[in-house]
Amino acid sequence: MNNRVLLLLSKGVSYIGTKLFSFALSWYILKQTGSGLNFSISLLVNYLPTVIFSMIAGKVSDRLKHPNRMLVICDIASAIACVIPLVFFSLPAIYCTIFILSCISALFNNIVDAHLPNLDGIKDAVGLKKLASSSQLITSGVNILAPAVGGVLISTIPVKMFAVINIASFLISAFGELFLIFNAAETASFKEQPEKKTYSAFLWLLRNKDFRPFLFGDGLVNFCVTAGISVAVPFIITNALGISSGSYGIITGCLGFGSVLSALFQTKHPCKTELKYPYAKVGCLGFIMLLISLIARIPYHPIRTVIAFCILEFIVGWLSVAINIKTITTIQIFVQDDFRGQVIGTLTAVSYSLIPISLLLAGTAVDMVESYVIPLICGSLLVVLLGCIRLLDLRANKLPTE
């Protein structure tokens, strides 16, 4: 079977099982405990391994000669971890399972992203970007379908059965990954790649004028968007404006719909192959937060307000996927093979480390200030700091090279 199709099918099967399992565990925690703290702990144990182990995962990934073997090991280990709630079905066991799966996922995702350019059948940068877009299309589609399917299944089967489904999905994925073929690293260079330095990936990113905007920009986007959109918008819709649950569902669905269409568009029309941070797309996210703040201040209208939020959420979904694909494919194309995993791991660790901070600050702020203030501050912060990063970028490019 075509390597690209096999990779996408393996990822799709695995991701469907994982999302269904995650949905069931979240529902169980909220249903049985009714505690926001317990739910927050589940989010924390899911985020922490990504922050802690991403850089370690990058070093492991760069040393792999046969990445498909490690992918198989990761999926089998994940299947074994899902046995824990079958044997010990308790809150600590659930937290332990989430933590272990997140640790394995940090390594798995880094291996896929780092070695994707070396997958047999990827001949140029355009092919790489189309494959990355197809992968994002599967992710976005499952993010929409899994909660809907999980909501139906949770009323008919016990929570433990979701662990069985996830085990089966991991084993099927592992079987498919056995047959993946990766070329030798030196055969997959699409562009002249910058020289690797002897210091850490973080310092390399910090000192490299071409990649420095990605280091600062990714962290800034995650911090501002998490607070200004992920936290503020649901609060504005449900508490400040009192929009019905049905309309809230439609608005939330528009985010996923925008993500799917963006990924589908990228498979047909890949972005340009250039070592340049997507300032325009990121800046648009800042202005969208300012528009959200404005809508929260004007008189509520049951039709116009809902339509406005639907449009803005659709654009957010579209831009988020476009920015993500642009970032990861730029790293894959322009960073050399034996250093790519460490660079991806460092970017992931830095950007993810700011998400819990953003959630904490935004969650505290919604009880202290008017809801429209949060997207106003976050949107302004993103636009201003992005402008500063751009000025530094322009200044660095004007300086003579060593």
Side-chain angles (χ1 to χ4, degrees):
M1 184 181 292
N2 184 293
N3 263 284
R4 290 168 291 183
V5 176
L6 187 59
L7 176 67
L8 293 175
L9 286 177
S10 297
K11 175 179 179 177
V13 171
S14 175
Y15 195 60
I16 288 172
T18 300
K19 289 300 291 184
L20 287 174
F21 189 48
S22 299
F23 174 84
L25 293 183
S26 299
W27 178 88
Y28 175 81
I29 291 172
L30 290 172
K31 185 73 173 179
Q32 296 299 318
T33 68
S35 169
L37 176 61
N38 287 329
F39 182 68
S40 299
I41 293 174
S42 70
L43 294 178
L44 185 63
V45 297
N46 187 48
Y47 272 121
L48 280 181
T50 304
V51 176
I52 297 172
F53 296 114
S54 286
M55 288 188 283
I56 299 174
K59 292 182 179 181
V60 173
S61 178
D62 287 335
R63 289 172 169 78
L64 293 176
K65 300 299 182 183
H66 303 283
N68 64 312
R69 297 178 185 177
M70 184 57 72
L71 293 177
V72 172
I73 293 173
C74 286
D75 273 340
I76 293 176
S78 297
I80 295 174
C82 291
V83 176
I84 296 175
L86 292 177
V87 180
F88 308 101
F89 195 71
S90 62
L91 206 56
I94 290 175
Y95 290 149
C96 180
T97 303
I98 294 173
F99 183 83
I100 294 173
L101 289 177
S102 184
C103 291
I104 299 172
S105 179
L107 177 59
F108 183 94
N109 291 333
N110 190 285
I111 294 172
V112 172
D113 290 337
H115 291 275
L116 198 62
N118 303 323
L119 185 70
D120 187 58
I122 303 298
K123 299 179 180 180
D124 53 26
V126 174
L128 174 63
K129 286 183 283 190
K130 287 184 177 181
L131 179 59
S133 300
S134 299
S135 177
Q136 184 65 58
L137 177 62
I138 291 175
T139 301
S140 301
V142 173
N143 285 339
I144 296 175
L145 293 177
V149 175
V152 175
L153 291 178
I154 200 71
S155 60
T156 59
I157 63 175
V159 174
K160 287 186 177 182
M161 281 302 299
F162 285 88
V164 176
I165 293 172
N166 205 20
I167 291 172
S169 70
F170 280 128
L171 294 178
I172 294 172
S173 177
F175 179 76
E177 289 154 1
L178 277 173
F179 303 98
L180 290 176
I181 300 174
F182 289 87
N183 296 317
E186 61 268 19
T187 65
S189 297
F190 305 136
K191 289 285 181 179
E192 181 180 352
Q193 299 168 336
E195 180 186 359
K196 184 186 73 172
K197 303 297 182 182
T198 56
Y199 36 78
S200 69
F202 178 79
L203 291 178
W204 184 85
L205 285 165
L206 196 62
R207 297 177 183 181
N208 192 305
K209 62 182 179 63
D210 294 318
F211 288 95
R212 189 162 50 232
F214 289 91
L215 177 64
F216 293 145
D218 274 10
L220 179 63
V221 169
N222 273 353
F223 180 84
C224 293
V225 171
T226 298
I229 295 179
S230 300
V231 174
V233 170
F235 188 85
I236 290 172
I237 291 174
T238 57
N239 290 32
L241 299 179
I243 295 177
S244 66
S245 58
S247 297
Y248 175 64
I250 294 174
I251 293 171
T252 304
C254 286
L255 179 69
F257 189 53
S259 301
V260 169
L261 288 186
S262 178
L264 184 61
F265 179 82
Q266 295 286 329
T267 60
K268 302 296 183 181
H269 306 281
C271 56
K272 295 180 180 179
T273 304
E274 55 182 352
L275 185 49
K276 183 180 179 181
Y277 188 73
Y279 288 102
K281 293 183 177 68
V282 175
C284 287
L285 287 177
F287 285 111
I288 286 174
M289 282 185 271
L290 296 179
L291 288 175
I292 290 173
S293 177
L294 177 62
I295 294 173
R297 287 290 294 163
I298 62 178
Y300 168 71
H301 188 276
I303 297 178
R304 289 195 294 267
T305 302
V306 171
I307 291 176
F309 272 109
C310 285
I311 294 173
L312 293 179
E313 287 287 280
F314 177 88
I315 297 174
V316 169
W318 182 288
L319 291 174
S320 297
V321 167
I323 293 168
N324 182 56
I325 292 175
K326 169 63 179 176
T327 299
I328 191 63
T329 54
T330 299
I331 301 298
Q332 289 169 339
I333 292 170
F334 291 99
V335 178
Q336 61 193 51
D337 298 296
D338 62 346
F339 198 48
R340 188 183 301 126
Q342 295 178 60
V343 171
I344 293 174
T346 300
L347 284 174
T348 303
V350 171
S351 60
Y352 268 62
S353 65
L354 295 177
I355 292 178
I357 300 174
S358 180
L359 287 170
L360 178 63
L361 292 177
T364 304
V366 293
D367 294 328
M368 301 174 60
V369 299
E370 294 288 341
S371 57
Y372 74 91
V373 174
I374 299 174
L376 177 63
I377 294 175
C378 292
S380 302
L381 185 66
L382 180 58
V383 171
V384 171
L385 293 183
L386 186 68
C388 294
I389 295 173
R390 178 58 173 160
L391 289 176
L392 292 174
D393 186 16
L394 292 173
R395 184 173 179 272
N397 287 324
K398 289 181 180 179
L399 294 176
T401 56
E402 298 180 356

